[in-house]
Amino acid sequence: MEKEWSLLPDVSARAVEFSQRIGTTPFTAALLLHRGIASDEEARNFLHPEKQPFYDPFLMKDMEKAVSRIARAIQAKERIVVYGDYDVDGITATSLLCRSLRQLGADVGYFIPHRQKDGYGLHKETLDEIIAAGAALIVTVDCGISAVEEAAAVKEETDLIITDHHLPGKELPKAVAVIDPHRADCPYPDKNIAGVGVAFKLCQALWQKMRGRAFTGDLDIVALGTVADVVPLVGENRKIVQQGLRVLKKSKRLGIQALLAVTELKEKEITAGHIGFVLAPRLNAAGRLASALRGVELLLTEDAAEAQAIAEELDAANRERQAVEQEILQAAEKQIESIDVKKAPVLVLHGGGWHPGVIGIVASRIVERYYRPTVIIAEEDGIGKGSCRSIRGFHMFEALSACKEHLLGFGGHAQAAGLSLRSEDIAPFRKALAAYATRVLAAEDFTPILDIELELAPDKISEKLMMEIKLLEPYGMGNPKPLFASHGVRGSYAQRIGKEGQHLKFALDGVDESIDVLAWGKGEAAPLVNRERIDIAYFPEYHVWREKRSLQLMLEDFRPARAEAKHPDRDALASVYRFLFARQKAAELPLDAEYLLAEYLRHFPVMGIFTFQKALQIFEELGILHAADGTYKFSAPKERLDLYKSRIFREGNPL
């Protein structure tokens, strides 16, 4: 999917003056301004979160009530049960609160619902079972804010404390305490903390009230859940993750040590990226395919052998999850073959036997590949459960609201949502969703936008600049890795790497010191890099191997150099026409411009990929080249072609 590169606004004039006030270079000041940080205080807090104190946990509405009731339960030796959720946020929040309550002398157990059997949130039947087993107090983490009916049903049987970070409805549940920063009457200044962050604030309040000291422990657990839940890494979240990453590498927790060992991260500097793409998927894997309880057991165990066994089990579950995901992805791709994606405003794909625990990941993969709002539906016994992922400018929850007459239920937010519906309603739902998308989206909305911070030639990257970039860590939602662009660079020794040659590596020419460039999943572009100049959008980082450090560029995107990009003229089109005419007589024409260009260059004049691709597009517009079933079909015209009937030709060859 070709991306549109968008250079962020030039703030160089403001950056010079801002940098003088905050004591940085204009480079760092510009990156801060791009993130909406414009005041001296905001800049200091962002660059040095470790110097900022945590907010007082008692600023949260109902915190005093919750702490008093929990303290009374501990003193009376009442049974407390922590009721969590099956994602990493819920797993870490459950583990964190259980650890603190045990250290404070509580008799505490925990419950995590099963993703497939129970579904999300509180359930009356489960609450009844917990109460029957002797619970005098139930404390939720990362769930419960919408459980109005469930809370009312158990009000006379047990005490309930709700801690959550999701948006509340019009009515709050009736409970001893309802702690949620999104409550309209909650004065807590940071509304972005994850469910584990709210549990952390409860732990802080408990230790402050019951032991008279500040609690800053278990930040490794809090950081895991915070990054995994993709909340903005600004404000208090930034402090939690920055400090939690430091603790994570040296964690004394046996479960985390075992998890780092099976993922081969023990000797590496742990980043937010490692949490999001390596650690969190393994904690999540058990909850996606079976029970999330093993994740809690891993974080709570005090037995090294058990920790190792669970970590290996989760690693195996993650491999199984990847295999299941790949099967569903292939089945979904098979359905897409019969769809004209360019004309489809949304993709709604469905199948029986698809595992509902991984369809959200599959939906994300489809969006990455085709950049269309996507719904993946797993069907069983006439009922479909769907996961939805969206694109910029398309609010998924609002879209589902507009199609609710076809749904049994739905929930979510702008970029992700879930739904349920009857199988017979899938077709009318697809039609209604497509009609809504057609109304709210324009043609340009289907091209992904890549935000470029600054244009920066790789040979201008200094040690000082790298230190400044590092000041912006940890990166994540709300604070993305800064991307830089350089135009017309030349690569050499481009090669495919990885087990299946799926990745690309090459050396950058024209620089004093060797700089390697890596692009994940772009191995097939090696011939292009060896052949012509390219524009690159990249993030610079240091690679350490055997104690030797070297600069490398991680490519987010690249393309044939636009400065050398030329629209094909009549002569160029004539040579491509002759090639296609001859090639289709010998064999099929694969739907692969890179491959076709490599063949073309054996017998025809030198041509860049941009020009060649434009030629193919012009012939498509003129109706002599058709893409279908993975190949091009070439049809020689019966009369002389009028090239000016092609919009692309007119753009490059105005009259």
Side-chain angles (χ1 to χ4, degrees):
M1 173 62 66
E2 186 175 341
K3 300 177 181 178
E4 179 182 335
W5 295 14
S6 175
L7 186 63
L8 293 176
D10 181 5
V11 293
S12 54
R14 291 171 60 201
V16 171
E17 187 266 337
F18 188 32
S19 68
Q20 293 170 348
R21 298 202 318 266
I22 62 176
T24 69
T25 65
F27 177 87
T28 300
L31 297 183
L32 292 173
L33 289 169
H34 283 159
R35 283 154 180 74
I37 299 168
S39 75
D40 298 8
E41 182 180 4
E42 286 177 315
R44 284 190 290 269
N45 292 346
F46 188 86
L47 295 175
H48 301 287
E50 73 282 356
K51 295 181 180 180
Q52 311 308 315
F54 284 110
Y55 293 120
D56 181 356
F58 287 99
L59 288 174
M60 281 197 175
K61 186 73 174 178
D62 278 5
M63 184 65 79
E64 187 71 57
K65 294 178 183 178
V67 170
S68 296
R69 180 62 186 93
I70 293 172
R72 194 165 79 247
I74 293 174
Q75 291 159 4
K77 301 297 182 183
E78 292 178 317
R79 179 68 170 172
I80 303 173
V81 172
V82 178
Y83 192 119
D85 186 29
Y86 42 68
D87 66 1
V88 179
D89 193 15
I91 289 169
T92 52
T94 302
S95 306
L96 173 75
L97 187 54
C98 283
R99 277 180 56 83
S100 265
L101 289 174
R102 287 176 181 175
Q103 291 167 352
L104 291 168
D107 172 16
V108 61
Y110 57 87
F111 173 81
I112 301 281
H114 191 285
R115 185 187 289 264
Q116 278 75 58
K117 295 177 183 176
D118 301 315
Y120 173 76
L122 303 186
H123 303 278
K124 176 63 166 58
E125 298 79 6
T126 305
L127 293 172
D128 287 341
E129 292 175 9
I130 293 172
I131 294 166
L137 175 62
I138 299 173
V139 184
T140 77
V141 289
D142 192 33
C143 64
I145 195 63
S146 60
V148 175
E149 293 181 7
E150 293 81 2
V154 300
K155 191 173 187 301
E156 303 303 323
E157 302 171 56
T158 192
D159 283 344
L160 179 65
I161 292 173
I162 289 172
T163 77
D164 203 347
H165 73 123
H166 296 100
L167 293 172
K170 294 180 180 179
E171 182 182 354
L172 294 177
K174 297 294 189 296
V176 171
V178 178
I179 301 173
D180 188 324
H182 290 290
R183 284 184 57 165
D185 58 350
C186 181
Y188 197 72
D190 196 330
K191 308 296 184 183
N192 291 319
I193 57 176
V196 70
V198 178
F200 176 65
K201 304 310 294 187
L202 177 57
C203 291
Q204 284 188 317
L206 284 167
W207 282 90
Q208 184 176 323
K209 188 82 169 182
M210 298 185 69
R211 293 290 188 269
R213 65 182 179 86
F215 174 78
T216 56
D218 296 340
L219 281 170
D220 47 356
I221 293 180
V222 189
L224 275 172
T226 298
V227 173
D229 212 50
V230 202
V231 291
L233 293 191
V234 296
E236 201 159 36
N237 287 336
R238 182 168 169 78
K239 178 180 175 70
I240 285 170
V241 175
Q242 185 209 51
Q243 298 198 358
L245 288 173
R246 295 174 182 174
V247 177
L248 195 64
K249 181 175 175 58
K250 301 175 182 178
S251 178
K252 296 179 180 179
R253 209 170 320 289
L254 297 176
I256 288 181
Q257 289 179 10
L259 197 58
L260 293 176
V262 299
T263 54
E264 300 180 351
L265 290 179
K266 252 190 170 178
E267 304 305 319
K268 295 184 179 180
E269 180 182 355
I270 309 299
T271 66
H274 287 129
I275 291 178
F277 297 106
V278 181
L279 301 177
R282 284 159 176 80
L283 281 173
N284 240 336
R288 289 191 180 279
L289 299 180
S291 170
L293 290 172
R294 295 299 272 170
V296 180
E297 291 165 4
L298 177 73
L299 296 178
L300 291 180
T301 185
E302 300 292 339
D303 182 281
E306 182 184 30
Q308 187 63 32
I310 297 174
E312 291 175 359
E313 180 184 322
L314 294 180
D315 191 48
N318 189 56
R319 289 195 297 274
E320 181 184 355
R321 186 269 305 167
Q322 290 172 327
V324 172
E325 172 196 324
Q326 194 60 34
E327 289 177 7
I328 298 174
L329 180 60
Q330 289 175 356
E333 289 278 13
K334 193 71 177 174
Q335 291 185 23
I336 291 174
E337 289 179 7
S338 62
I339 300 171
D340 186 346
V341 176
K342 291 181 180 179
K343 295 180 180 178
V346 297
L347 294 173
V348 178
L349 312 168
H350 60 99
W354 291 3
H355 199 296
V358 301
I359 55 175
I361 304 174
V362 174
S364 296
R365 298 279 185 268
I366 296 293
V367 171
E368 288 172 10
R369 193 166 298 180
Y370 299 101
Y371 206 66
R372 294 290 189 277
T374 299
V375 182
I376 304 292
I377 300 172
E379 294 179 88
E380 184 177 359
D381 298 329
I383 298 295
K385 292 182 178 179
S387 280
C388 319
R389 297 294 183 269
S390 195
I391 62 176
R392 188 186 298 198
F394 189 80
H395 197 294
M396 185 58 77
F397 182 80
E398 292 179 359
L400 296 182
S401 299
C403 307
K404 62 183 178 182
E405 68 269 22
H406 304 293
L407 305 175
L408 295 174
F410 66 95
H413 48 84
Q415 292 299 301
L419 59 83
S420 61
L421 77 175
R422 296 180 183 87
S423 292
E424 61 263 29
D425 289 329
I426 292 176
F429 166 69
R430 179 192 289 114
K431 185 177 180 180
L433 190 65
Y436 178 85
T438 301
R439 290 197 302 271
V440 302
L441 293 173
E444 57 268 22
D445 292 323
F446 295 109
T447 300
I449 305 296
L450 196 65
D451 290 326
I452 306 294
E453 303 266 358
L454 300 165
E455 294 188 359
L456 178 65
D459 58 358
K460 300 297 183 183
I461 301 173
S462 64
E463 176 77 18
K464 183 176 182 181
L465 185 143
M466 291 297 289
M467 290 176 63
E468 292 186 16
I469 292 175
K470 194 167 181 62
L471 278 176
L472 271 68
E473 294 179 354
Y475 301 116
M477 174 69 77
N479 179 35
K481 281 185 177 181
L483 292 179
F484 307 100
S486 185
H487 302 278
V489 304
R490 186 173 289 283
S492 59
Y493 306 107
Q495 57 183 305
R496 304 178 74 139
I497 61 172
K499 291 181 180 179
E500 300 175 1
Q502 68 271 41
H503 308 308
L504 172 68
K505 180 179 181 180
F506 61 91
L508 203 62
D509 284 355
V511 292
D512 293 336
E513 296 184 21
S514 174
I515 299 178
D516 284 337
V517 185
L518 295 174
W520 303 125
K522 298 294 184 182
E524 75 283 351
L528 166 68
V529 175
N530 283 327
R531 189 178 62 241
E532 56 187 284
R533 292 184 182 274
I534 57 175
D535 299 335
I536 58 174
Y538 68 91
F539 173 78
E541 64 181 28
Y542 282 125
H543 174 66
V544 180
W545 173 250
R546 294 179 178 175
E547 299 183 356
K548 182 181 179 182
R549 191 183 69 172
S550 60
L551 179 66
Q552 68 180 15
L553 308 184
M554 306 301 298
L555 293 195
E556 182 68 23
D557 195 21
F558 63 98
R559 63 193 185 191
R562 290 293 169 91
E564 298 183 358
K566 298 178 181 178
H567 275 71
D569 56 17
R570 289 181 180 274
D571 291 340
L573 285 170
S575 66
V576 175
Y577 179 93
R578 288 193 296 272
F579 163 73
L580 293 173
F581 184 81
R583 177 65 170 73
Q584 61 91 27
K585 282 188 174 182
E588 286 187 330
L589 294 165
L591 195 66
D592 186 335
E594 282 282 332
Y595 178 86
L596 290 174
L597 177 59
E599 284 203 358
Y600 167 91
L601 291 172
R602 294 176 187 170
H603 308 289
F604 290 88
V606 173
M607 184 178 293
I609 184 64
F610 177 89
T611 308
F612 189 78
Q613 285 177 323
K614 290 296 180 185
L616 296 180
Q617 291 168 7
I618 288 170
F619 289 141
E620 282 191 80
E621 287 188 338
L622 294 174
I624 65 172
L625 198 62
H626 306 274
D629 300 325
T631 62
Y632 281 118
K633 306 296 182 185
F634 180 83
S635 304
K638 296 180 180 179
E639 55 187 39
R640 183 180 178 85
L641 286 175
D642 181 357
L643 295 179
Y644 281 95
K645 288 184 177 179
S646 163
R647 176 187 57 82
I648 295 174
F649 183 79
R650 292 197 305 271
E651 288 177 354
N653 301 269
L655 290 170

